[in-house]
Amino acid sequence: QIQKQCDQKLIIRMKTECVPCSLNLETQCPAGYTKVTNSTGIPDCRYYLEIKTHTLSFPGCRHHCVKEFKQPECCQGHWGPDCMGK
């Protein structure tokens, strides 16, 4: 049995919006994504608050999320619909 299908594993990474770290405990990743950070996330961003005429910037936190999926591909030397994963 020669393997004709060599799926590529794709990983998409994203970061949630920057919010105050205390609020970030509740932050969930979008549907289909897995949270790879925990508790309050990573304090590597700033969020902004507009107060009357001023915009203030504060250190905040965000979570990192990943999504994995397989992209069907033919192995080297094979092509056509018989190895593109139905």
Side-chain angles (χ1 to χ4, degrees):
Q1 171 69 13
I2 299 168
Q3 192 183 357
K4 297 179 182 177
Q5 190 174 337
C6 295
D7 293 344
Q8 294 295 318
K9 193 160 129 190
L10 293 182
I11 295 180
I12 299 175
R13 299 173 192 279
M14 59 90 62
K15 294 173 182 171
T16 59
E17 207 175 322
C18 193
V19 295
C21 294
S22 57
L23 296 180
N24 204 37
L25 277 166
E26 303 298 314
T27 303
Q28 295 303 316
C29 291
Y33 284 83
T34 305
K35 198 190 277 188
V36 290
T37 44
N38 44 35
S39 71
T40 56
I42 297 174
D44 65 346
C45 60
R46 297 187 78 80
Y47 67 96
Y48 301 92
L49 282 183
E50 286 182 29
I51 299 172
K52 293 184 181 156
T53 55
H54 299 288
T55 300
L56 302 179
S57 160
F58 299 96
C61 290
R62 57 189 173 177
H63 284 293
H64 292 206
C65 308
V66 295
K67 182 182 195 173
E68 269 188 26
F69 65 92
K70 283 194 175 131
Q71 181 170 325
E73 279 191 21
C74 295
C75 299
Q76 211 165 357
H78 294 275
W79 50 86
D82 60 337
C83 61
M84 290 307 281
K86 300 282 180 285

